[in-house]
Amino acid sequence: MSDSSDLKKAGLKATLPRLKILSMMEEAKEPHMSAEGIYKSLLESGEEVGLATVYRVLTQFETAGLVIRHNFEGGRAVFELNQGHHHDHMVCVECGKVFEFFDPAIEARQRKIAEKSGFVMEEHSLYIYGTCEGMKKNGVCSKKAKTTGMA
Amino acid sequence: MSDSSDLKKAGLKATLPRLKILSMMEEAKEPHMSAEGIYKSLLESGEEVGLATVYRVLTQFETAGLVIRHNFEGGRAVFELNQGHHHDHMVCVECGKVFEFFDPAIEARQRKIAEKSGFVMEEHSLYIYGTCEGMKKNGVCSKKAKTTGMA
DNA sequence: TCCAAAATGAGAATAGTTATCGTTGGCCTG
DNA sequence: CAGGCCAACGATAACTATTCTCATTTTGGA
């Protein structure tokens, strides 16, 4: 179980649900999880946490800077622990896999563009959507594609 | 009213609702509109088009390449006419205003990054969120804060 | 003009998320 | 270490954006 001082430092009371959610995210193999996914994983581990609480806590974590929320296509939000180092994402539209990358040149250009138009940049989001290597090689990716055969 | 040949060329029957929606988007001063916003604008113009139809038609337009869908933060989707020239967006988190920009260097880097990881890029989305000039100067932007004023 | 196929409109249904509200529990005080 | 305040919790209702269903209407070709 995660240390309660992490929460305290973030200005949040160290409640049981918060600790459970935080440590579950730290231990999960998949770093990008939906609220629903976190909720279900907790249930499977025998941890009783309400779905509303998961949403509430994730929003608090986001505000506190502990996690980062990504709004993927289709209105799905996923969360990942804030590891301190910013990065962007490549998402496979076939299997849903998420790859991370960081490009200093792009970062610099973005700052410059914002600056040039008198914009105070707070954050940015960059997603590259496409099909990952597995798709190219085998016609399918690691997970399952849409079973319909048609794209 | 927009020309029905635009629709025909896109492989879509030239129905009344489609023509109305297309011409409304062409004439609107705000190029980034939500489905709801388009629906309401049509109502105000005395045009009777069902909300479901607006959603359906916008999705068809997107598939046909006539419009581009943007998934902004908070699960809000907005649409804009596809003017042919790709560009990215800066969104003011205070007033909701949307600015467009295009940076060849960023585009090139993205292609390179995808390529390097064996990714076949289909599309990408880049949004810079921040506060626009009006905010810095006057403490408020053109519109009002709080109400996520997206058409 | 006539007809089959496609599109529409109204409203029901769905998914994801947020709000409500009575109950529980963290943690500060003494 | 107990008492109590107030924030946090859980269950569920409500909400928002979008999609689905299906009876009715429209389109475009013969």
Side-chain angles (χ1 to χ4, degrees):
Chain A
M1 179 84 74
S2 161
D3 196 338
S4 67
S5 68
D6 295 339
L7 290 172
K8 295 269 180 61
K9 262 184 286 183
L12 296 168
K13 270 195 202 172
T15 67
L16 231 33
R18 284 175 186 158
L19 284 168
K20 286 177 186 170
I21 292 170
L22 189 54
S23 44
M24 122 81 59
M25 291 186 78
E26 283 167 352
E27 287 154 25
K29 48 267 146 252
E30 173 55 63
H32 302 87
M33 308 190 72
S34 67
E36 190 87 28
I38 290 170
Y39 171 66
K40 285 186 181 154
S41 291
L42 286 170
L43 282 193
E44 282 167 18
S45 317
E47 306 287 3
E48 293 291 330
V49 177
L51 179 58
T53 300
V54 172
Y55 276 104
R56 206 166 17 209
V57 167
L58 284 171
T59 300
Q60 292 159 347
F61 281 7
E62 185 194 8
T63 304
L66 289 176
V67 308
I68 295 173
R69 179 197 305 254
H70 300 286
N71 297 287
F72 283 1
E73 289 190 339
R76 327 201 158 286
V78 300
F79 300 81
E80 71 174 318
L81 285 177
N82 184 356
Q83 307 285 9
H85 60 282
H86 163 77
H87 55 258
D88 293 307
H89 296 81
M90 248 181 312
V91 184
C92 179
V93 295
E94 290 294 333
C95 68
K97 225 176 194 171
V98 180
F99 303 83
E100 302 178 350
F101 69 88
F102 177 80
D103 188 276
I106 290 181
E107 301 294 323
R109 295 294 304 176
Q110 285 181 135
R111 280 195 299 275
K112 194 148 292 181
I113 288 162
E115 192 185 320
K116 205 159 56 180
S117 22
F119 217 78
V120 179
M121 178 164 89
E122 287 179 6
E123 59 171 319
H124 67 264
S125 76
L126 168 56
Y127 299 101
I128 295 178
Y129 295 98
T131 49
C132 69
E133 199 146 27
M135 194 60 203
K136 223 169 36 178
K137 283 210 200 92
N138 320 321
V140 289
C141 317
S142 46
K143 294 185 202 171
K144 226 207 332 267
K146 314 239 146 56
T147 40
T148 44
M150 292 265 310
Chain B
M1 177 86 71
S2 159
D3 195 336
S4 67
S5 69
D6 295 340
L7 290 173
K8 296 269 179 60
K9 262 184 288 184
L12 295 168
K13 273 195 199 174
T15 66
L16 231 35
R18 285 176 186 158
L19 284 168
K20 287 176 185 169
I21 292 170
L22 189 55
S23 45
M24 123 79 61
M25 290 185 79
E26 283 167 352
E27 287 154 25
K29 48 266 147 254
E30 173 56 63
H32 300 87
M33 309 189 71
S34 67
E36 189 88 26
I38 290 170
Y39 172 69
K40 285 185 180 154
S41 291
L42 286 171
L43 281 192
E44 283 168 16
S45 317
E47 306 287 4
E48 292 292 331
V49 177
L51 179 57
T53 299
V54 172
Y55 275 104
R56 204 166 19 205
V57 167
L58 284 171
T59 300
Q60 292 159 347
F61 281 7
E62 185 195 10
T63 304
L66 289 175
V67 309
I68 294 173
R69 179 198 304 259
H70 300 286
N71 297 287
F72 284 1
E73 289 188 339
R76 321 198 164 288
V78 300
F79 299 82
E80 71 173 317
L81 285 178
N82 183 358
Q83 308 285 6
H85 59 282
H86 164 78
H87 55 257
D88 293 306
H89 295 83
M90 250 183 308
V91 184
C92 179
V93 295
E94 291 295 333
C95 67
K97 225 177 196 169
V98 180
F99 304 82
E100 302 177 351
F101 69 88
F102 176 80
D103 188 276
I106 290 181
E107 301 294 324
R109 297 293 305 175
Q110 285 181 137
R111 280 195 300 274
K112 193 148 294 182
I113 288 161
E115 193 186 322
K116 205 159 57 181
S117 18
F119 217 76
V120 179
M121 178 164 86
E122 287 179 5
E123 57 171 321
H124 67 265
S125 77
L126 168 56
Y127 299 102
I128 295 179
Y129 295 98
T131 50
C132 70
E133 198 145 29
M135 193 61 201
K136 222 168 40 178
K137 283 209 199 92
N138 321 319
V140 287
C141 317
S142 44
K143 294 181 202 171
K144 235 229 311 288
K146 215 42 182 154
T147 47
T148 317
M150 202 112 313

